Amino acid sequence: MVVCIPAAACTTRSSVLLFCQVLFFFSSIVRVVIDDEEFELASQCSQLNNPNTYVVCHLCFVPMAFCVSHWAHQLMKNRIIARFREAKSNTQLSAATALLDLTCDAVVALNGDLR
């Protein structure tokens, strides 16, 4: 389960994420079926070691993985948009400065007191 969430942040397609999460879920079901005796002994110590709890925890990770994937993609998309806006702003500023340099004989820098 430790691999599920970081892997969700790195996937670029929802279909790949769904396929991987379904594989993790089915592997947990197979483990419950194969290690039935181990789960039976462990569930005597604590109810949290119940095989049903193990499968439900894996099932809960599926929507959590999609949330992490969506969040990571939105974060990357917003970062790229901010970089494009910054580059566009820098281009417009340099174009305005070059135009001002061409049209004026002298560029005077004024402070807050207009001096």
Side-chain angles (χ1 to χ4, degrees):
M1 284 196 300
V2 176
V3 178
C4 295
I5 299 302
C10 297
T11 58
T12 56
R13 293 186 180 202
S14 296
S15 59
V16 173
L17 179 62
L18 180 64
F19 178 73
C20 292
Q21 292 301 316
V22 167
L23 284 179
F24 282 129
F25 179 67
F26 283 134
S27 69
S28 69
I29 292 174
V30 168
R31 180 166 182 233
V32 165
V33 170
I34 291 175
D35 295 337
D36 187 34
E37 295 172 2
E38 180 183 331
F39 276 107
E40 187 176 313
L41 292 173
S43 63
Q44 292 174 357
C45 298
S46 173
Q47 190 64 20
L48 293 176
N49 294 332
N50 192 344
N52 294 334
T53 307
Y54 183 74
V55 172
V56 168
C57 285
H58 273 79
L59 186 62
C60 290
F61 268 96
V62 174
M64 190 184 312
F66 277 97
C67 289
V68 167
S69 176
H70 179 71
W71 174 76
H73 287 288
Q74 283 299 113
L75 185 66
M76 286 186 277
K77 181 180 173 182
N78 290 342
R79 185 177 289 173
I80 289 170
I81 289 171
R83 285 185 183 168
F84 277 122
R85 286 184 181 160
E86 181 182 354
K88 184 178 179 182
S89 176
N90 288 341
T91 303
Q92 289 175 348
L93 179 63
S94 64
T97 303
L99 185 60
L100 185 62
D101 284 340
L102 289 174
T103 57
C104 297
D105 294 331
V107 177
V108 179
L110 300 174
N111 62 7
D113 297 331
L114 298 175
R115 295 184 187 177

